[in-house]
PDB file of all heavy atoms in Angstrom:
ATOM      1  N   GLY A 298     -17.616  12.377 -27.977  1.00 98.00           N
ATOM      2  CA  GLY A 298     -16.991  12.438 -29.349  1.00 98.00           C
ATOM      3  C   GLY A 298     -17.953  12.030 -30.450  1.00 98.00           C
ATOM      4  O   GLY A 298     -17.590  12.169 -31.646  1.00 98.00           O
ATOM      5  N   PRO A 302     -19.548  19.497 -33.218  1.00 98.00           N
ATOM      6  CA  PRO A 302     -18.986  20.520 -32.249  1.00 98.00           C
ATOM      7  C   PRO A 302     -20.046  21.431 -31.646  1.00 98.00           C
ATOM      8  O   PRO A 302     -20.050  21.642 -30.408  1.00 98.00           O
ATOM      9  CB  PRO A 302     -17.997  21.334 -33.143  1.00 98.00           C
ATOM     10  CG  PRO A 302     -17.527  20.376 -34.118  1.00 98.00           C
ATOM     11  CD  PRO A 302     -18.706  19.474 -34.417  1.00 98.00           C
ATOM     12  N   TYR A 305     -21.764  19.330 -29.083  1.00 98.00           N
ATOM     13  CA  TYR A 305     -20.959  18.990 -27.945  1.00 98.00           C
ATOM     14  C   TYR A 305     -20.953  20.237 -26.989  1.00 98.00           C
ATOM     15  O   TYR A 305     -21.072  20.129 -25.786  1.00 98.00           O
ATOM     16  CB  TYR A 305     -19.524  18.719 -28.386  1.00 98.00           C
ATOM     17  CG  TYR A 305     -18.575  18.479 -27.234  1.00 98.00           C
ATOM     18  CD1 TYR A 305     -18.390  17.220 -26.689  1.00 98.00           C
ATOM     19  CD2 TYR A 305     -17.791  19.542 -26.728  1.00 98.00           C
ATOM     20  CE1 TYR A 305     -17.531  16.990 -25.598  1.00 98.00           C
ATOM     21  CE2 TYR A 305     -16.936  19.323 -25.656  1.00 98.00           C
ATOM     22  CZ  TYR A 305     -16.791  18.036 -25.162  1.00 98.00           C
ATOM     23  OH  TYR A 305     -15.927  17.868 -24.074  1.00 98.00           O
ATOM     24  N   ARG A 306     -20.854  21.451 -27.634  1.00 98.00           N
ATOM     25  CA  ARG A 306     -20.784  22.650 -26.797  1.00 98.00           C
ATOM     26  C   ARG A 306     -22.156  22.972 -26.177  1.00 98.00           C
ATOM     27  O   ARG A 306     -22.162  23.767 -25.247  1.00 98.00           O
ATOM     28  CB  ARG A 306     -20.324  23.803 -27.724  1.00 98.00           C
ATOM     29  CG  ARG A 306     -18.820  23.652 -28.072  1.00 98.00           C
ATOM     30  CD  ARG A 306     -18.291  24.902 -28.712  1.00 98.00           C
ATOM     31  NE  ARG A 306     -16.828  24.711 -28.849  1.00 98.00           N
ATOM     32  CZ  ARG A 306     -16.282  24.388 -30.052  1.00 98.00           C
ATOM     33  NH1 ARG A 306     -16.945  24.228 -31.067  1.00 98.00           N
ATOM     34  NH2 ARG A 306     -14.957  24.197 -30.091  1.00 98.00           N
ATOM     35  N   LYS A 336     -13.459  10.607 -24.791  1.00 98.00           N
ATOM     36  CA  LYS A 336     -13.133  10.065 -26.051  1.00 98.00           C
ATOM     37  C   LYS A 336     -13.463  11.137 -27.091  1.00 98.00           C
ATOM     38  O   LYS A 336     -14.600  11.649 -27.089  1.00 98.00           O
ATOM     39  CB  LYS A 336     -13.898   8.803 -26.332  1.00 98.00           C
ATOM     40  CG  LYS A 336     -13.411   7.590 -25.731  1.00 98.00           C
ATOM     41  CD  LYS A 336     -12.312   6.888 -26.611  1.00 98.00           C
ATOM     42  CE  LYS A 336     -12.899   6.211 -27.814  1.00 98.00           C
ATOM     43  NZ  LYS A 336     -11.930   6.155 -28.944  1.00 98.00           N
ATOM     44  N   GLY A 337     -12.465  11.401 -27.940  1.00 98.00           N
ATOM     45  CA  GLY A 337     -12.815  12.320 -29.028  1.00 98.00           C
ATOM     46  C   GLY A 337     -12.938  13.833 -28.600  1.00 98.00           C
ATOM     47  O   GLY A 337     -13.585  14.647 -29.172  1.00 98.00           O
ATOM     48  N   ASN A 338     -12.188  14.174 -27.481  1.00 98.00           N
ATOM     49  CA  ASN A 338     -12.388  15.512 -26.912  1.00 98.00           C
ATOM     50  C   ASN A 338     -11.265  16.482 -27.459  1.00 98.00           C
ATOM     51  O   ASN A 338     -11.233  17.618 -27.036  1.00 98.00           O
ATOM     52  CB  ASN A 338     -12.389  15.537 -25.389  1.00 98.00           C
ATOM     53  CG  ASN A 338     -11.067  15.020 -24.756  1.00 98.00           C
ATOM     54  OD1 ASN A 338     -10.129  14.768 -25.506  1.00 98.00           O
ATOM     55  ND2 ASN A 338     -11.114  14.877 -23.451  1.00 98.00           N
ATOM     56  N   ALA A 339     -10.447  15.984 -28.410  1.00 98.00           N
ATOM     57  CA  ALA A 339      -9.338  16.814 -28.830  1.00 98.00           C
ATOM     58  C   ALA A 339      -9.756  18.274 -29.360  1.00 98.00           C
ATOM     59  O   ALA A 339      -9.049  19.130 -29.090  1.00 98.00           O
ATOM     60  CB  ALA A 339      -8.506  16.104 -29.897  1.00 98.00           C
ATOM     61  N   PRO A 340     -10.942  18.352 -30.017  1.00 98.00           N
ATOM     62  CA  PRO A 340     -11.267  19.705 -30.551  1.00 98.00           C
ATOM     63  C   PRO A 340     -11.526  20.700 -29.420  1.00 98.00           C
ATOM     64  O   PRO A 340     -11.535  21.901 -29.679  1.00 98.00           O
ATOM     65  CB  PRO A 340     -12.550  19.474 -31.348  1.00 98.00           C
ATOM     66  CG  PRO A 340     -12.555  18.016 -31.686  1.00 98.00           C
ATOM     67  CD  PRO A 340     -11.879  17.357 -30.542  1.00 98.00           C
ATOM     68  N   TYR A 341     -11.727  20.271 -28.207  1.00 98.00           N
ATOM     69  CA  TYR A 341     -12.240  21.125 -27.131  1.00 98.00           C
ATOM     70  C   TYR A 341     -11.193  21.332 -25.974  1.00 98.00           C
ATOM     71  O   TYR A 341     -11.600  21.675 -24.866  1.00 98.00           O
ATOM     72  CB  TYR A 341     -13.490  20.503 -26.611  1.00 98.00           C
ATOM     73  CG  TYR A 341     -14.424  20.040 -27.675  1.00 98.00           C
ATOM     74  CD1 TYR A 341     -14.657  18.705 -27.874  1.00 98.00           C
ATOM     75  CD2 TYR A 341     -15.013  20.935 -28.576  1.00 98.00           C
ATOM     76  CE1 TYR A 341     -15.397  18.236 -28.959  1.00 98.00           C
ATOM     77  CE2 TYR A 341     -15.760  20.499 -29.611  1.00 98.00           C
ATOM     78  CZ  TYR A 341     -15.966  19.122 -29.773  1.00 98.00           C
ATOM     79  OH  TYR A 341     -16.788  18.625 -30.839  1.00 98.00           O
ATOM     80  N   LEU A 342      -9.918  20.984 -26.218  1.00 98.00           N
ATOM     81  CA  LEU A 342      -8.952  21.025 -25.102  1.00 98.00           C
ATOM     82  C   LEU A 342      -8.868  22.302 -24.418  1.00 98.00           C
ATOM     83  O   LEU A 342      -8.822  22.436 -23.164  1.00 98.00           O
ATOM     84  CB  LEU A 342      -7.576  20.547 -25.615  1.00 98.00           C
ATOM     85  CG  LEU A 342      -7.517  19.116 -26.085  1.00 98.00           C
ATOM     86  CD1 LEU A 342      -6.127  18.828 -26.560  1.00 98.00           C
ATOM     87  CD2 LEU A 342      -7.963  18.157 -25.056  1.00 98.00           C
ATOM     88  N   GLU A 343      -8.903  23.432 -25.172  1.00 98.00           N
ATOM     89  CA  GLU A 343      -8.782  24.759 -24.506  1.00 98.00           C
ATOM     90  C   GLU A 343      -9.967  25.032 -23.622  1.00 98.00           C
ATOM     91  O   GLU A 343      -9.855  25.454 -22.492  1.00 98.00           O
ATOM     92  CB  GLU A 343      -8.738  25.852 -25.569  1.00 98.00           C
ATOM     93  CG  GLU A 343      -7.456  25.908 -26.399  1.00 98.00           C
ATOM     94  CD  GLU A 343      -7.464  24.922 -27.629  1.00 98.00           C
ATOM     95  OE1 GLU A 343      -8.464  24.147 -27.745  1.00 98.00           O
ATOM     96  OE2 GLU A 343      -6.463  24.937 -28.414  1.00 98.00           O
ATOM     97  N   GLU A 344     -11.133  24.670 -24.118  1.00 98.00           N
ATOM     98  CA  GLU A 344     -12.408  24.899 -23.330  1.00 98.00           C
ATOM     99  C   GLU A 344     -12.436  23.982 -22.075  1.00 98.00           C
ATOM    100  O   GLU A 344     -12.835  24.412 -21.049  1.00 98.00           O
ATOM    101  CB  GLU A 344     -13.600  24.639 -24.172  1.00 98.00           C
ATOM    102  CG  GLU A 344     -13.788  25.666 -25.239  1.00 98.00           C
ATOM    103  CD  GLU A 344     -14.363  25.156 -26.532  1.00 98.00           C
ATOM    104  OE1 GLU A 344     -13.616  24.609 -27.423  1.00 98.00           O
ATOM    105  OE2 GLU A 344     -15.548  25.309 -26.785  1.00 98.00           O
ATOM    106  N   LEU A 345     -11.950  22.797 -22.248  1.00 98.00           N
ATOM    107  CA  LEU A 345     -11.911  21.810 -21.080  1.00 98.00           C
ATOM    108  C   LEU A 345     -10.916  22.335 -20.119  1.00 98.00           C
ATOM    109  O   LEU A 345     -11.166  22.212 -18.887  1.00 98.00           O
ATOM    110  CB  LEU A 345     -11.645  20.406 -21.576  1.00 98.00           C
ATOM    111  CG  LEU A 345     -12.681  19.707 -22.349  1.00 98.00           C
ATOM    112  CD1 LEU A 345     -12.219  18.529 -23.132  1.00 98.00           C
ATOM    113  CD2 LEU A 345     -13.842  19.295 -21.387  1.00 98.00           C
ATOM    114  N   VAL A 359      -4.978  12.556 -30.538  1.00 98.00           N
ATOM    115  CA  VAL A 359      -4.200  13.825 -30.386  1.00 98.00           C
ATOM    116  C   VAL A 359      -2.920  13.455 -29.762  1.00 98.00           C
ATOM    117  O   VAL A 359      -2.820  12.512 -28.940  1.00 98.00           O
ATOM    118  CB  VAL A 359      -5.002  14.836 -29.568  1.00 98.00           C
ATOM    119  CG1 VAL A 359      -5.229  14.365 -28.109  1.00 98.00           C
ATOM    120  CG2 VAL A 359      -4.332  16.207 -29.540  1.00 98.00           C
ATOM    121  N   GLU A 363       0.681  18.113 -28.488  1.00 98.00           N
ATOM    122  CA  GLU A 363      -0.344  19.117 -28.819  1.00 98.00           C
ATOM    123  C   GLU A 363      -1.253  19.319 -27.592  1.00 98.00           C
ATOM    124  O   GLU A 363      -1.603  20.433 -27.344  1.00 98.00           O
ATOM    125  CB  GLU A 363      -1.137  18.566 -29.990  1.00 98.00           C
ATOM    126  CG  GLU A 363      -2.202  19.568 -30.441  1.00 98.00           C
ATOM    127  CD  GLU A 363      -3.062  19.109 -31.562  1.00 98.00           C
ATOM    128  OE1 GLU A 363      -2.611  18.228 -32.388  1.00 98.00           O
ATOM    129  OE2 GLU A 363      -4.202  19.604 -31.701  1.00 98.00           O
ATOM    130  N   ARG A 367      -1.639  22.965 -26.041  1.00 98.00           N
ATOM    131  CA  ARG A 367      -2.993  23.698 -26.132  1.00 98.00           C
ATOM    132  C   ARG A 367      -3.617  23.977 -24.829  1.00 98.00           C
ATOM    133  O   ARG A 367      -4.465  24.766 -24.658  1.00 98.00           O
ATOM    134  CB  ARG A 367      -3.943  22.907 -27.086  1.00 98.00           C
ATOM    135  CG  ARG A 367      -3.537  23.156 -28.535  1.00 98.00           C
ATOM    136  CD  ARG A 367      -4.352  22.349 -29.485  1.00 98.00           C
ATOM    137  NE  ARG A 367      -5.776  22.370 -29.213  1.00 98.00           N
ATOM    138  CZ  ARG A 367      -6.670  21.455 -29.473  1.00 98.00           C
ATOM    139  NH1 ARG A 367      -6.237  20.346 -30.133  1.00 98.00           N
ATOM    140  NH2 ARG A 367      -7.922  21.572 -29.155  1.00 98.00           N
TER     141      ARG A 367
END
Side-chain angles (χ1 to χ4, degrees):
Y305 178 87
R306 292 190 171 100
K336 278 273 287 150
N338 64 5
Y341 318 108
L342 294 180
E343 292 83 355
E344 291 145 278
L345 288 165
V359 62
E363 181 182 336
R367 284 176 45 207

